């Protein structure tokens, strides 16, 4: 084996360093992720912390792997959005729109507003307000879905309303992300209108198209071998993501559209095949986001992030309370719905990452601190929802 | 009985119904074909308490156990709903001419106009048996047709 290493090092200096660095980081993330799971927590905050620890001013430097981590993070973002798109079918979306639209509006109104105010006050710009509005608005579908399974709540009365809110938020991202991408890059009203209407058209076209042609596409893919399905879906996604980047929309939106376009069996197989790949690159994405933040910028924003976290924790609880109430759940169910929704995670980071990439640096530390607080506290709070709900219970008769 | 079906976006579907003794049962089927059967708490009626989980194979087995005997009953119900259509169960008696022969050999459809829609052997139901299906004594054929046709098929199969 030592011969191979020597050869590699001789052929391409830096390759050995890169392999060792990337390998060590991924291995460390694997250990940390295991630790997080043992305590029923999301690994996302630990990935962010790892990135922060390895960033500026740390003892270990990741010089050799910077290029790889940059590209890997972009692929991670694309895969996160692709697998998100794969989760939905047009039918599910239609059904959610029919029954849960009011919950979606309450969610937007209550949770985007505090973020917008904080962004305006702390980042001092309209784009900052828009970015932070997205950060506080969108719950982490990854964390919430996981907590619902872990706590065995899938058959609970309040659960469909919780999942519906996640669906509405995620679909709204198809409009919100290009909006942010254009505005943060300094685009005017005309460009915003074009970008948003183009992506709305694309989403509708894909949803309608997949309803009509999805079966045929699905059938085609179902006949191919695993390896081919993986390569085709991954390849197409990268091409579409690249094209949407050329059009100045976010690569994330293109990937999301590909995910939406695949339905039924094709979606199911792609989900199964791409999830491991997504897990690797999404971890790289979160670490890279941490790396892009100078740890010394964190302490000044900590108080602001904590206040924002407290306020938006409350507003999410009210959102869940309202949404579960529409399903006829009792006080405890409504509190469970509210608390499980409070988790913010991958999407907040995606939005802030977009902002940081376009030069809105202030959004990075604020979001990182905010996500670190809520991604850790929220799953814990969700576990104790029934105790939190106790004061809201009607007094038993005769007490 | 009313089964309430609820979509769980990104997860699967949930089916709920209330049994005659007042228990509310809930089956969650996830996209990877796993099933969770739960009942609701009396303390907090919104909480589903998991009774058991089934993977794909176990769910099929469970469905066979619960579903098989029901098919014949359902068919009988069906024939009751269509005027002029009757359904009957005819046993292949020991020593019947068709014992050890195939269903196709009886030419039941051509000769009587009635259809054999299922074959019950012990506790197993073979729905829509093919002409190549072998017949044993003790098999019960579920036939559908006009009452005349059924009378004919009974004579045909009863022939020694």
């Amino acid at each position: 084996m030592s011969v191979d290493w020597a050869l590699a090092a001789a052929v391409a200096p830096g390759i050995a360093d890169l392999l060792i660095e990337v390998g060590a980081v991924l291995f460390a993330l694997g250990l940390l992720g295991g630790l997080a799971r043992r305590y029923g927590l999301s690994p996302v905050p630990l990935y962010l912390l790892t990135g922060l620890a390895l960033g500026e001013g740390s003892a270990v430097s990741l010089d050799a792997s910077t290029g790889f981590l940059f590209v890997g993070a972009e692929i991670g973002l694309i895969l996160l959005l692709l697998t998100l798109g794969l989760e939905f079918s047009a039918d599910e979306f239609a059904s959610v729109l029919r029954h849960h639209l009011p919950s979606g509006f309450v969610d937007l109104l209550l949770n985007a507003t505090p973020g917008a105010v904080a962004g305006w006050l702390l980042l001092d710009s309209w784009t900052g307000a828009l970015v932070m509005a997205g950060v506080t608005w969108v719950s982490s579908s990854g964390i919430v879905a996981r907590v619902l399974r872990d706590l065995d709540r899938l058959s609970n009365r309040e659960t469909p309303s919780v999942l519906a809110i996640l669906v509405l938020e995620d679909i709204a991202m198809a409009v919100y992300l290009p909006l942010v991408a254009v505005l943060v890059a300094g685009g005017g009203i005309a460009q915003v209108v074009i970008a948003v209407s183009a992506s709305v058209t694309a989403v509708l076209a894909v949803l309608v198209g997949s309803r009509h042609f999805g079966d045929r596409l699905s059938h085609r893919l179902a006949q191919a071998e695993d390896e081919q399905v993986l390569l085709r879906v991954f390849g197409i996604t990268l091409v579409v993501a690249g094209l949407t980047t050329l059009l100045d929309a976010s690569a994330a939106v293109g990937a999301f559209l590909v995910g939406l376009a695949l339905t039924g069996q094709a979606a199911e197989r792609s989900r199964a095949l791409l999830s491991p790949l997504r897990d690797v690159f999404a971890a790289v994405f979160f670490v890279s986001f941490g790396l892009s933040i100078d740890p010394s910028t964190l302490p000044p924003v900590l108080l602001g992030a904590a206040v924002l976290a407290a306020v938006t924790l409350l507003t999410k609880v009210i959102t869940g309370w309202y949404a579960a109430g529409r399903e006829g759940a009792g006080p405890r169910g409504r509190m469970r719905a509210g608390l499980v929704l409070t988790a913010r995670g991958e999407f907040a980071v995606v939005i802030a990452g977009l902002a940081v990439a376009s030069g809105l640096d202030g959004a990075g530390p604020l979001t990182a601190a905010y996500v670190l607080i809520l991604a850790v506290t929220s799953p814990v709070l969700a576990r104790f929802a029934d105790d939190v709900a106790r004061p809201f219970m009607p007094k038993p008769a005769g007490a | 009985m009313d089964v309430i079906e609820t979509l769980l976006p990104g997860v699967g579907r949930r089916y709920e119904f209330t049994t005659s003794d007042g228990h509310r049962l809930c089956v969650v089927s996830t996209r990877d074909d796993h099933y969770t059967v739960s009942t609701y708490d009396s303390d907090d009626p919104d909480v589903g308490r998991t009774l058991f989980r089934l993977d794909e194979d176990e769910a099929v087995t469970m469905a066979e156990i619960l579903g098989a005997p029901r098919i014949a009953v359902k068919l009988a119900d069906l024939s009751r709903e269509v005027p002029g259509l009757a359904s009957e169960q005819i046993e292949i008696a020991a020593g019947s001419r068709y014992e050890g022969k195939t269903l196709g050999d009886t030419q039941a459809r051509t000769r009587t106009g009635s259809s054999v829609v299922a074959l019950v052997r012990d506790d197993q139901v073979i729905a829509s048996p093919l002409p190549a299906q072998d017949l044993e004594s003790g098999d019960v054929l579920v036939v559908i047709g006009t009452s005349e046709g059924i009378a004919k098929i009974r004579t045909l199969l009863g022939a020694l």
Side-chain angles (χ1 to χ4, degrees):
Chain A
M1 286 312 283
S2 62
V3 178
D4 289 341
W5 280 111
L7 189 67
V11 171
I15 278 284
D17 287 349
L18 179 131
L19 292 176
I20 293 168
E21 281 179 20
V22 172
V25 168
L26 290 181
F27 185 71
L29 293 181
L31 293 181
L32 287 171
L35 200 69
R37 288 275 180 254
R38 183 179 303 173
Y39 296 101
L41 297 174
S42 159
V44 172
L46 288 177
Y47 295 167
L48 289 181
L49 283 176
T50 308
L52 278 170
L54 294 172
E56 272 170 66
S58 84
V60 199
S61 78
L62 294 175
D63 294 336
S65 46
T66 313
F68 173 83
L69 290 179
F70 181 75
V71 177
E74 194 62 34
I75 293 177
L77 171 66
I78 288 167
L79 285 173
L80 271 172
L81 269 291
L82 171 69
T83 45
L84 187 75
L86 286 174
E87 291 291 329
F88 304 120
S89 66
D91 293 338
E92 284 185 344
F93 182 52
S95 148
V96 166
L97 268 190
R98 257 199 312 280
H99 301 295
H100 298 278
L101 201 55
S103 307
F105 276 120
V106 169
D107 180 41
L108 170 64
L109 200 67
L110 286 181
N111 296 290
T113 313
V117 172
W120 176 247
L121 292 176
L122 299 172
L123 303 176
D124 212 18
S125 67
W126 282 113
T127 44
L130 183 70
V131 167
M132 292 312 296
V135 167
T136 56
W137 170 27
V138 184
S139 297
S140 160
S141 3
I143 298 179
V144 174
R146 173 113 207 160
V147 170
L148 285 176
R149 274 176 202 267
D150 287 353
L151 297 183
D152 201 8
R153 288 189 184 164
L154 287 181
S155 39
N156 283 16
R157 166 106 17 248
E158 72 274 8
T159 298
S161 61
V162 171
L163 294 169
I165 284 188
L166 298 180
V167 171
L168 289 170
E169 286 176 353
D170 293 343
I171 283 279
M173 283 297 100
V175 179
Y176 174 82
L177 283 179
L179 181 73
V180 171
V182 171
L183 273 183
V184 173
I189 297 290
Q191 279 160 292
V192 169
V193 172
I194 293 171
V196 169
S197 45
S199 60
V200 170
T201 317
V203 168
L204 289 179
V206 163
L207 282 176
V208 172
S210 74
R211 230 177 160 161
H212 288 280
F213 305 108
D215 287 346
R216 215 177 303 164
L217 187 72
S218 189
H219 187 67
R220 277 259 169 102
L221 272 175
Q223 287 174 335
E225 304 259 323
D226 281 358
E227 193 182 338
Q228 275 95 54
V229 174
L230 176 67
L231 290 174
R232 283 177 204 176
V233 173
F234 188 43
I236 289 273
T237 308
L238 290 186
V239 169
V240 173
L243 288 176
T244 45
T245 313
L246 278 182
L247 296 171
D248 280 335
S250 163
V253 176
F256 185 59
L257 288 179
V258 175
L260 279 184
L262 294 173
T263 52
Q265 247 206 315
E268 214 159 287
R269 284 190 73 190
S270 310
R271 217 171 15 236
L273 291 168
L274 284 156
S275 294
L277 202 60
R278 187 236 7 235
D279 292 343
V280 171
F281 284 102
V284 171
F285 169 74
F286 293 121
V287 170
S288 293
F289 181 75
L291 276 173
S292 73
I293 294 163
D294 181 353
S296 66
T297 58
L298 274 183
V301 297
L302 214 51
L303 182 67
V307 172
L308 188 59
V311 171
T312 55
L313 193 118
L314 192 68
T315 53
K316 266 294 173 189
V317 170
I318 298 172
T319 306
W321 183 273
Y322 170 77
R326 294 185 69 240
E327 292 272 292
R332 278 177 290 188
R334 299 173 83 173
M335 186 55 82
R336 282 192 298 266
L339 283 174
V340 80
L341 276 169
T342 56
R344 314 298 204 282
E346 68 276 10
F347 253 104
V349 180
V350 166
I351 294 165
L354 204 63
V356 172
S358 310
L360 191 75
D361 289 336
L366 186 58
T367 307
Y370 176 77
V371 167
L372 284 177
I373 296 169
L374 279 185
V376 173
T377 49
S378 160
V380 179
L381 282 173
R383 204 164 287 246
F384 299 107
D386 284 359
D387 300 317
V388 180
R390 197 154 291 144
F392 299 93
M393 290 300 290
K395 296 263 181 308
Chain B
M1 191 172 64
D2 288 332
V3 177
I4 305 166
E5 184 182 339
T6 316
L7 186 70
L8 300 175
V11 175
R13 280 168 192 281
R14 180 177 80 186
Y15 305 89
E16 284 169 89
F17 61 92
T18 309
T19 62
S20 56
D21 58 358
H23 285 291
R24 268 174 60 223
L25 274 187
C26 162
V27 179
V28 171
S29 78
T30 53
R31 281 174 170 171
D32 52 357
D33 275 320
H34 281 58
Y35 297 82
T36 307
V37 180
S38 37
T39 179
Y40 287 93
D41 223 18
S42 54
D43 171 43
D44 183 347
D46 299 332
V47 175
R49 297 278 177 226
T50 300
L51 297 174
F52 52 87
R53 293 171 209 279
L54 301 171
D55 68 16
E56 198 176 348
D57 290 343
E58 292 158 355
V60 168
T61 308
M62 185 82 174
E64 271 170 10
I65 295 170
L66 295 175
R70 302 277 312 153
I71 294 175
V73 181
K74 283 265 178 198
L75 283 170
D77 290 348
L78 174 82
S79 61
R80 215 168 292 143
E81 282 163 21
V82 182
L85 196 63
S87 163
E88 215 163 302
Q89 305 184 8
I90 302 171
E91 188 175 338
I92 305 281
S96 158
R97 179 194 299 185
Y98 294 106
E99 186 183 353
K101 297 266 180 60
T102 68
L103 187 58
D105 291 337
T106 65
Q107 290 184 294
R109 171 107 194 116
T110 325
R111 290 186 189 169
T112 70
S114 308
S115 302
V116 177
V117 293
L119 186 151
V120 186
R121 178 174 296 164
D122 301 328
D123 55 357
Q124 199 191 359
V125 172
I126 301 156
S128 300
L130 298 171
Q133 174 67 49
D134 66 305
L135 300 174
E136 289 173 12
S137 67
D139 285 355
V140 175
L141 299 182
V142 182
V143 295
I144 278 194
T146 60
S147 40
E148 274 170 54
I150 288 186
K152 279 187 194 167
I153 201 170
R154 182 177 287 283
T155 327
L156 177 74
L157 292 172
L160 297 174

